[in-house]
Amino acid sequence: MQLPTLREIFEAHDRLGSDKWTTYFGAYDDHFARFRERPITLLEIGIQNGGSLEIWAKYFANATRIVGCDIDEKCGDLTFEDPRISVVIGDANSANSYQAVTSDVAAFDIVIDDGSHLVSDVIQSFALYFPKVKPGGVYVIEDLHTSYWEGFGGGSDLDLSSMGFLKLLADVVNKEFWREDRVGFNLLQNYASRYDVAVNDAGLEIDEVAFGNSVCIIRKKVLDGEENRRHITGNVFKVLDYTEVKPLSGSKELLNSLHITRNLMPATARQAEFVQLSATTLENVRRIEQLDAELRTVSTSANEALTQAQQEIASANDALASANNALASANDALAHARQEIASLKNSYSWRLTAPLRYMRLTTPFRYVKAVFRH
């Protein structure tokens, strides 16, 4: 029997109110299909009139728990006929609300953020509740058009908006192929610092990031131990013999990703040689990467030391120039003083008073006073 679509359930709903954009219906049917008949748990942040919780209860008929969280105290007056539905009143990002939500249900198959839509709240909620999504589950963020509006903390600063954050998560999906040295690096550091959240790409296991009009659906990876490798089948390779391909540039190369499902090489000796060459090539690539990282570290230290030395030389040059200026000023003052002394000695008054100065130097002071008194 074909299950009713979300839109059919939505349009037939006749109790508590709810609203959804047209584009959501198809996106949810596509991504939620595998959950329809499973005993799932669901959390919705922001429930407003409560109708969405009732619709989810109908859509996921076998769900065991459906939890809503809303900051509006009026939501506490809502009543639900379905005993699987419960509501937590409070800010979903507060410690008390988080404790209430996660103590009721430890982990969720689906989390839907339909809360304030503020950029800060969107990112904080993701940091808090994505770890509570079960492997294989999904985290949904609605109404992402607000990411472009200044009133919601978005606008032209797209690099640090909700959409900017989610675009980086698309890179996290492919993090096994990142080629740069990732030691001490966090792709999401700018968001972690700006919005004061603990979020690091190293702790995120994501299989898929899907974007629709105003909505993003993030699927959490299932850690089943199976390595992501390139699979090969067939016996005839007229264009490119995969058994003889050279490694790709960078740290991720083709030889390390091959998983041969059939016997492609007729000679066992050749196969063994190929495996040995693959291992040797991989080891060489890793050694080159290690040396390159060490070279970058040494270059960075050398550049820092050179910059510091240049700054010290510039400071010394400034001090020397200042000292030279002070010395020049002193020499000018000394020359001026000598000119004044020479001029004074050549003056008529200096020559006229010469006997008095001589008398002052050769005659006791008390005698001179007595002579002038009489």
Side-chain angles (χ1 to χ4, degrees):
M1 183 181 68
Q2 185 175 358
L3 296 173
T5 66
L6 179 59
R7 185 164 186 172
E8 290 171 344
I9 294 174
F10 187 91
E11 292 178 347
H13 182 70
D14 60 358
R15 264 188 47 83
L16 299 178
S18 178
D19 71 297
K20 295 292 179 188
W21 292 96
T22 304
T23 52
Y24 292 1
F25 295 122
Y28 288 164
D29 281 332
D30 290 341
H31 289 273
F32 292 169
R34 66 184 186 278
F35 299 109
R36 292 293 300 272
E37 298 182 274
R38 288 168 49 184
I40 69 161
T41 55
L42 181 147
L43 167 65
E44 184 167 35
I45 300 171
I47 64 170
Q48 209 170 60
N49 290 306
S52 59
L53 298 180
E54 293 182 323
I55 292 171
W56 293 130
K58 297 174 184 177
Y59 189 71
F60 299 108
N62 294 322
T64 58
R65 297 288 285 113
I66 296 176
V67 181
C69 183
D70 201 292
I71 198 170
D72 194 331
E73 295 182 356
K74 294 180 182 178
C75 292
D77 298 329
L78 297 173
T79 57
F80 300 93
E81 298 175 351
D82 194 320
R84 297 174 297 169
I85 300 174
S86 64
V87 175
V88 174
I89 302 301
D91 181 353
N93 293 337
S94 69
N96 290 338
S97 296
Y98 176 78
Q99 177 64 28
V101 168
T102 56
S103 62
D104 185 19
V105 180
F108 297 91
D109 295 279
I110 299 174
V111 175
I112 302 172
D113 181 2
D114 189 19
S116 71
H117 309 307
L118 296 172
V119 172
S120 56
D121 283 344
V122 168
I123 294 172
Q124 288 170 8
S125 293
F126 178 85
L128 279 175
Y129 292 101
F130 185 76
K132 293 299 180 180
V133 175
K134 298 177 184 178
V138 295
Y139 189 98
V140 181
I141 303 173
E142 294 187 348
D143 293 345
L144 280 168
H145 50 271
T146 59
S147 177
Y148 307 104
W149 298 350
E150 293 183 359
F152 288 81
S156 58
D157 187 9
L158 298 182
D159 287 341
L160 291 174
S161 67
S162 303
M163 283 298 297
F165 177 80
L166 296 173
K167 290 173 185 176
L168 289 182
L169 295 188
D171 288 320
V172 174
V173 173
N174 301 314
K175 66 180 179 180
E176 66 180 289
F177 298 106
W178 290 352
R179 297 179 178 178
E180 293 83 356
D181 181 7
R182 314 307 292 180
V183 177
F185 177 83
N186 177 13
L187 180 67
L188 308 174
Q189 184 57 51
N190 289 341
Y191 289 89
S193 299
R194 180 165 182 169
Y195 299 109
D196 192 24
V197 295
V199 59
N200 191 312
D201 63 70
L204 297 180
E205 298 296 339
I206 299 175
D207 253 347
E208 178 185 8
V209 178
F211 290 97
N213 189 333
S214 300
V215 65
C216 180
I217 301 173
I218 306 157
R219 186 173 70 192
K220 196 166 191 177
K221 181 181 293 186
V222 177
L223 300 177
D224 53 9
E226 182 179 5
E227 185 178 1
N228 182 30
R229 304 181 71 87
R230 183 176 180 180
H231 295 251
I232 295 177
T233 189
N235 291 313
V236 180
F237 303 95
K238 292 185 177 180
V239 177
L240 177 64
D241 185 352
Y242 294 146
T243 66
E244 296 180 353
V245 294
K246 295 180 179 180
L248 297 175
S249 61
S251 61
K252 302 295 181 181
E253 69 328 293
L254 183 59
L255 293 178
N256 191 39
S257 66
L258 293 179
H259 178 64
I260 303 175
T261 57
R262 299 183 63 178
N263 184 11
L264 303 179
M265 290 170 284
T268 303
R270 184 183 178 192
Q271 187 173 13
E273 181 183 3
F274 171 73
V275 172
Q276 180 61 39
L277 287 174
S278 299
T280 303
T281 302
L282 176 59
E283 182 61 29
N284 289 338
V285 169
R286 289 174 175 169
R287 179 55 180 163
I288 291 172
E289 285 188 336
Q290 180 183 357
L291 293 174
D292 184 60
E294 293 175 357
L295 178 61
R296 288 199 300 269
T297 301
V298 171
S299 297
T300 300
S301 300
N303 287 335
E304 291 175 352
L306 177 61
T307 300
Q308 181 178 357
Q310 290 174 340
Q311 291 174 347
E312 292 176 354
I313 291 172
S315 298
N317 287 335
D318 291 342
L320 179 60
S322 178
N324 287 336
N325 290 335
L327 180 59
S329 297
N331 287 333
D332 290 343
L334 178 60
H336 181 70
R338 287 174 175 171
Q339 289 177 352
E340 289 186 343
I341 292 172
S343 177
L344 178 62
K345 288 182 176 180
N346 291 328
S347 66
Y348 175 77
S349 58
W350 180 266
R351 293 195 301 272
L352 181 63
T353 56
L356 293 176
R357 289 195 304 278
Y358 177 78
M359 182 183 298
R360 174 70 180 87
L361 294 173
T362 59
T363 305
F365 182 66
R366 284 177 296 177
Y367 177 76
V368 172
K369 287 176 61 177
V371 170
F372 277 94
R373 189 178 298 120
H374 295 284

